[in-house]
């Protein structure tokens, strides 16, 4: 696990009963979970449950900046919850909830908007990307998206945020917003810190762009095995390896990179590539088998959960209820500081 900053060292006098530091992360309900989500972020969500007070959120308000189909949004929200639970989030050890079930997030986002210069938002790389991806729907939510993200994190005063590298600019903006607020109204929020896995950027099957649902280059890890295999077999490998006998370059081959996360023999496999003992198709078949095998138990849990939607809904409701006192306490403090009381 790596972070943008060196972790704070606890003072020697800190009592052993100090509350556990808080971690928060959010994920959009934009379809089922893909390999980039898991390797880049969810593995850290699961790991951090052990030591942190962990809060994880399905960000349906954020999804509304790109999805305008109410039934689809509802279905995907439940699917994302089932996916996260199947991959190891444990409602006994973390709090999982849906963003719109705690509407305080939007009130805080508005208040944070008033300390956020528009120029900071206009220069955000994801805003520029979205303008290209959905030119007919450049809604205001796309611009203020990072302010809502900052509100998500700081409303619980979380200090650590497990995310993929694509969220780095948003996290930096969250820190700037915190500094702007604290400067104007007094020390209120801690500056959140990003935490990354060993795979902070997972490339898609095209081998060029970051794996992403909106690009359509995903490996859908909880899908039926045939689909996973088809997606893996479509992966672009080392483009300079034309003939089977050409030596491979595992350092630049997307398929070889994935071998690092599924099995401990990747160095042997890479040697086989370098010496052309193995070909790209062999390598794809192997990684497809490993991915299917690795996620088979999670897929089974996912299907079981989806057969009992009331169970998923119960977990999400309990999560939102558990967070109510924390969200309300922060809002009381913020309203007081800003002169709204
Ligand atoms: P989202 O839904 O796009 O992605 C969820 C998480 O998965 C990571 N991720 C990846 N990591 C590595 N390689 C990839 N190809 C890849 N694709 C996705 C993302 O970095 C993310 O951690 N804006 C956020 C949601 C959000 C949020 C928050 C996150 C809203 N509020 C507060 C943290 C804290 C997003 O759209 O993630």
């Amino acid at each position: 696990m790596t972070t943008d900053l060196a972790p704070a060292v606890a003072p020697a006098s800190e009592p052993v009963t100090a509350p556990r530091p808080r971690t928060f992360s959010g994920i959009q309900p934009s379809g089922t979970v893909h390999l980039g989500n898991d390797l880049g972020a969810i593995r850290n969500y699961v790991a951090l449950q052990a030591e942190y007070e962990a809060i994880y959120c399905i960000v349906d308000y954020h999804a509304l900046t790109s999805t305008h189909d109410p039934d689809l949004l509802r279905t995907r929200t439940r699917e994302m919850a089932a996916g996260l639970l199947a991959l190891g989030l444990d409602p006994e050890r973390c709090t999982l909830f849906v963003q719109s079930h705690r509407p305080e997030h939007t009130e805080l986002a508005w208040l944070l908007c008033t300390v956020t210069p528009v120029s900071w938002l206009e220069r955000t790389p994801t805003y520029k990307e979205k303008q290209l991806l959905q030119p007919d729907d450049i809604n205001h939510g796309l611009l203020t998206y990072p302010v809502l993200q900052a509100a998500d994190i700081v409303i619980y005063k979380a200090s650590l945020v497990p995310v993929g590298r694509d969220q780095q600019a948003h996290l930096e903006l969250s820190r700037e917003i915190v500094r702007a607020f604290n400067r104007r109204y007094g020390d209120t929020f801690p500056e959140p810190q990003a935490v990354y896995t060993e795979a902070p950027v997972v490339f898609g099957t095209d081998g060029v762009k970051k794996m992403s649902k909106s690009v359509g280059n995903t490996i859908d890890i909880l899908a039926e095995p045939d689909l996973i295999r088809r997606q893996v077999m479509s992966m672009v490998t080392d483009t300079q390896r034309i003939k089977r006998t050409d030596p491979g370059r595992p350092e630049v081959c997307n398929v070889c990179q994935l071998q690092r996360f599924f099995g401990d023999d990747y160095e042997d496999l890479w040697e086989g590539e370098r010496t052309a003992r193995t070909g790209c198709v062999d390598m794809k078949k192997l990684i497809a088998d490993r991915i299917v095998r690795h996620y088979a138990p999670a897929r089974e849990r996912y299907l079981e959960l989806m057969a009992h939607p009331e169970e998923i809904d119960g977990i999400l409701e309990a999560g939102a209820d558990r967070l109510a006192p924390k969200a309300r306490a922060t809002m009381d403090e913020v309203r007081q500081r800003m002169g709204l009381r």
Side-chain angles (χ1 to χ4, degrees):
M1 233 179 262
T2 55
T3 56
D4 273 347
L5 302 170
V9 177
S13 58
E14 194 172 9
V16 276
T17 53
R20 287 187 305 164
R22 206 167 277 166
T23 178
F24 178 97
S25 202
I27 188 163
Q28 289 203 50
S30 50
T32 52
V33 199
H34 61 69
L35 188 63
N37 295 136
D38 187 41
L39 296 184
I42 298 171
R43 285 187 177 195
N44 264 354
Y45 299 179
V46 175
L48 290 166
Q49 295 178 115
E51 283 173 47
Y52 285 79
E53 184 188 337
I55 304 174
Y56 301 121
C57 181
I58 300 166
V59 295
D60 53 351
Y61 282 147
H62 277 109
L64 284 173
T65 57
S66 302
T67 309
H68 306 294
D69 177 336
D71 289 334
L72 189 64
L73 182 59
R74 259 186 290 276
T75 307
R76 285 181 167 176
T77 299
R78 200 180 267 151
E79 283 173 353
M80 184 51 77
L84 292 171
L85 293 165
L87 287 166
L89 290 198
D90 174 357
E92 302 288 317
R93 295 195 299 157
C94 75
T95 302
L96 178 65
F97 76 113
V98 178
Q99 190 183 31
S100 63
H101 296 182
R102 286 268 47 96
E104 294 88 351
H105 288 228
T106 42
E107 184 189 354
L108 184 57
W110 170 257
L111 300 177
L112 294 180
C113 273
T114 65
V115 298
T116 307
V118 177
S119 58
W120 290 2
L121 301 173
E122 283 171 337
R123 70 171 191 225
T124 312
T126 44
Y127 177 55
K128 293 181 187 157
E129 281 163 25
K130 283 286 180 177
Q131 283 178 301
L132 296 176
L133 270 173
Q134 48 186 78
D136 300 328
D137 183 20
I138 307 174
N139 57 75
H140 190 277
L142 289 175
L143 184 67
T144 42
Y145 184 111
V147 187
L148 178 57
Q149 179 156 346
D152 293 339
I153 301 166
V154 304
I155 198 163
Y156 304 111
K157 303 199 175 184
S159 49
L160 217 57
V161 185
V163 281
R165 186 77 72 188
D166 60 323
Q167 297 299 310
Q168 186 172 19
H170 285 172
L171 257 289
E172 275 162 17
L173 199 47
S174 292
R175 294 161 60 80
E176 285 185 89
I177 293 172
V178 162
R179 283 197 286 271
F181 186 95
N182 288 351
R183 243 190 335 265
R184 191 164 296 168
Y185 294 108
D187 216 8
T188 311
F189 300 118
E191 281 184 35
Q193 189 180 317
V195 55
Y196 302 113
T197 66
E198 299 304 313
V201 184
V202 176
F203 285 93
T205 49
D206 53 5
V208 183
K209 292 197 174 133
K210 180 199 81 156
M211 187 175 289
S212 157
K213 202 81 197 167
S214 52
V215 177
N217 60 359
T218 57
I219 296 173
D220 299 333
I221 51 182
L222 300 178
E224 57 280 16
D226 275 358
L227 176 63
I228 297 180
R229 283 182 211 284
R230 274 203 307 280
Q231 290 173 329
V232 173
M233 295 313 287
S234 77
M235 283 178 81
V236 174
T237 53
D238 176 0
T239 47
Q240 282 183 26
R241 193 175 183 196
I242 312 290
K243 296 194 298 297
R244 166 70 177 77
T245 48
D246 289 343
R249 296 174 306 154
E251 297 75 18
V252 299
C253 169
N254 201 14
V255 176
C256 291
Q257 288 302 316
L258 289 185
Q259 299 287 10
R260 289 167 52 212
F261 306 103
F262 297 93
D264 47 19
D265 56 351
Y266 80 92
E267 279 169 351
D268 291 344
L269 296 173
W270 285 19
E271 198 44 36
E273 283 283 291
R274 282 193 195 100
T275 54
R277 197 175 63 231
T278 47
C280 295
V281 174
D282 306 323
M283 205 46 95
K284 286 190 202 180
K285 283 187 180 150
L286 182 69
I287 193 72
D289 280 343
R290 288 184 177 187
I291 291 175
V292 166
R293 206 172 329 123
H294 179 86
Y295 289 107
R299 174 171 158 76
E300 212 171 295
R301 278 198 297 280
Y302 173 75
L303 294 174
E304 262 167 41
L305 281 159
M306 286 303 286
H308 297 96
E310 66 296 340
E311 203 176 305
I312 304 172
D313 295 351
I315 291 170
L316 296 174
E317 263 168 51
D321 288 349
R322 203 177 310 147
L323 293 171
K326 293 184 178 75
R328 288 185 191 137
T330 303
M331 290 317 299
D332 282 348
E333 182 186 356
V334 169
R335 289 190 202 110
Q336 183 73 34
R337 284 186 183 273
M338 295 183 86
L340 301 171
R341 283 265 148 88

